[in-house]
Amino acid sequence: MGTYNLLWSIAKRNVTTVLLGITISDRCVNIISVTGESMHPTFTAADRVLQGDFVLAERRCLEKYEFSHGDVILFKCPSNHKELFVKRLIALPGEWVQLPGSPKVTKIPEGHCWVEGDNAARSLDSRSFGPIPLGLVQGRVTHIIWPPSKIGQVERKMPEGRISQI
Amino acid sequence: MARALAFAWPYAKFCIVGGLFGRTFADWCASVSSVDGESMSPTLDGHQAERMLVEKRCLYTYDFTRGDVVVLRSPRSHREVLVKRLIALPGDWIQVPENQEIRQIPQGHCWVEGDNAANSSDSRSYGPVPLGLMQGRVTHVVWPPQRIRRVDRNMPEGRIMSQ
């Protein structure tokens, strides 16, 4: 009987911890590893998960969809639902964005946003797949927590002269 | 004070664990939501204040089948959640009823339509939607009691051509 009680109390504690962990990672903050070179130099260009920068992705911003220009956001790729992308948010609904290297101006439709990688030369982003629905956004990257040399906040940064509100 | 706290603690702990368990269950297994609007009538009826059971486990592997009733975030407004029928999956060719056009669903997208074609804003107006917007699949109607039933997979005929 004593063994049973001991096992039960251990199981109960583990289940509670796991539930707490799942709830926090679903609703508050999540740790992910960034790979690929599209966000270089903000994040290291790495091709394997363990070499990449580990970042904190905050999810509370999803409750009210509070995003600002220049935020680094996490979203599901529109052409492949299994992949998560990290890019910089350039324009929000109702704004006009100018495509680099061309005089063309696009209007962001309602409920969509425009995302681009910092490393424009090596990034698959809204310049190829167009505006993405805000419903695909999964969180906002706030801090780098690994490697130690890069620990710090991820800055909000906005390329100038790209958007105009009309 | 300390005694009151000692008395209340087991109950508080029970409530917190229960809340966590409920949240996790609703996020990962199934949840209940209410039907609003007419776009899915007669399958689901918004006027009867129907509640439907939304299964979330299909999201782990995205195993959706043509004809499923799915819940998805609106591509036009991130605050809205829609209920529609899944008509076509990536790679299918679909015939758009309004014009005689035949188009292919791009990779990672799907085509959704309401059962009440006359009163539904769906892929016919905004085109294919990314699969990443999916939030679950409707399996049963659970309320009111006299309307409890399964929601069947139902596929309009002659709409898609798989190649």
Side-chain angles (χ1 to χ4, degrees):
Chain A
M1 201 59 204
T3 333
Y4 175 79
N5 277 341
L6 182 71
L7 280 180
W8 174 238
S9 73
I10 291 174
K12 213 157 68 169
R13 198 170 304 164
N14 283 336
V15 169
T16 315
T17 317
V18 168
L19 283 178
L20 195 64
I22 293 177
T23 311
I24 290 176
S25 79
D26 275 1
R27 308 216 168 238
C28 303
V29 69
N30 201 354
I31 298 173
I32 53 154
S33 161
V34 182
T35 53
E37 30 187 3
S38 74
M39 284 300 282
H40 190 78
T42 312
F43 305 125
T44 320
D47 34 345
R48 265 186 285 157
V49 173
L50 284 176
Q51 292 170 341
D53 289 353
F54 285 81
V55 296
L56 282 186
E58 188 225 340
R59 299 174 71 96
R60 273 176 315 159
C61 54
L62 292 175
E63 282 162 25
K64 291 192 185 129
Y65 279 85
E66 293 160 333
F67 297 105
S68 318
H69 300 104
D71 276 348
V72 176
I73 59 167
L74 184 71
F75 61 96
K76 281 190 187 161
C77 171
S79 53
N80 179 358
H81 51 85
K82 293 193 182 117
E83 263 182 74
L84 277 178
F85 279 13
V86 175
K87 304 272 182 243
R88 205 173 281 280
L89 184 67
I90 303 289
L92 288 165
E95 291 167 346
W96 296 80
V97 64
Q98 192 187 359
L99 299 172
S102 86
K104 213 179 131 194
V105 182
T106 331
K107 190 181 185 201
I108 311 295
E110 215 38 62
H112 285 64
C113 63
W114 189 270
V115 290
E116 281 183 19
D118 284 359
N119 185 3
R122 306 297 302 259
S123 168
L124 174 70
D125 50 33
S126 281
R127 286 168 303 157
S128 53
F129 48 66
I132 61 160
L134 276 170
L136 292 175
V137 176
Q138 301 288 304
R140 185 178 61 179
V141 176
T142 53
H143 294 82
I144 299 181
I145 54 169
W146 194 261
S149 57
K150 296 194 79 171
I151 288 180
Q153 216 174 343
V154 176
E155 281 162 40
R156 198 170 277 171
K157 204 168 64 182
M158 191 60 204
E160 271 178 42
R162 292 292 308 284
I163 59 159
S164 48
Q165 274 146 344
I166 303 177
Chain B
M1 185 60 201
R3 274 177 67 187
L5 208 65
F7 179 74
W9 177 236
Y11 296 99
K13 210 160 70 170
F14 183 79
C15 289
I16 292 170
V17 175
L20 285 177
F21 192 79
R23 275 272 174 103
T24 314
F25 190 83
D27 281 358
W28 291 85
C29 299
S31 68
V32 175
S33 25
S34 58
V35 186
D36 198 14
E38 303 175 27
S39 74
M40 279 304 283
S41 87
T43 313
L44 299 167
D45 194 349
H47 296 302
Q48 307 274 344
E50 286 188 339
R51 303 280 159 119
M52 58 194 178
L53 189 70
V54 182
E55 189 225 343
K56 306 278 172 80
R57 277 177 312 159
C58 51
L59 293 174
Y60 305 164
T61 48
Y62 280 85
D63 54 346
F64 293 103
T65 315
R66 298 174 193 92
D68 279 346
V69 178
V70 291
V71 176
L72 68 154
R73 261 179 212 286
S74 164
R76 281 188 170 162
S77 152
H78 48 85
R79 285 172 221 274
E80 264 178 72
V81 177
L82 310 172
V83 188
K84 301 280 175 224
R85 200 175 284 280
L86 185 67
I87 304 288
L89 289 167
D92 291 345
W93 292 82
I94 186 163
Q95 191 188 357
V96 186
E98 270 64 37
N99 40 21
Q100 292 301 308
E101 183 196 5
I102 292 178
R103 58 189 293 183
Q104 193 182 18
I105 311 294
Q107 216 46 52
H109 286 64
C110 62
W111 188 271
V112 292
E113 281 182 18
D115 282 359
N116 185 1
N119 207 337
S120 165
S121 131
D122 49 34
S123 282
R124 287 168 302 154
S125 57
Y126 43 65
V129 293
L131 276 170
L133 294 172
M134 288 291 163
Q135 302 287 305
R137 184 175 62 183
V138 178
T139 55
H140 295 82
V141 174
V142 293
W143 197 259
Q146 70 273 20
R147 296 181 68 87
I148 291 180
R149 63 186 185 275
R150 257 178 85 113
V151 174
D152 287 320
R153 194 170 283 164
N154 186 359
M155 189 61 202
E157 273 179 40
R159 291 293 309 283
I160 61 156
M161 296 141 248
S162 315
Q163 280 188 337

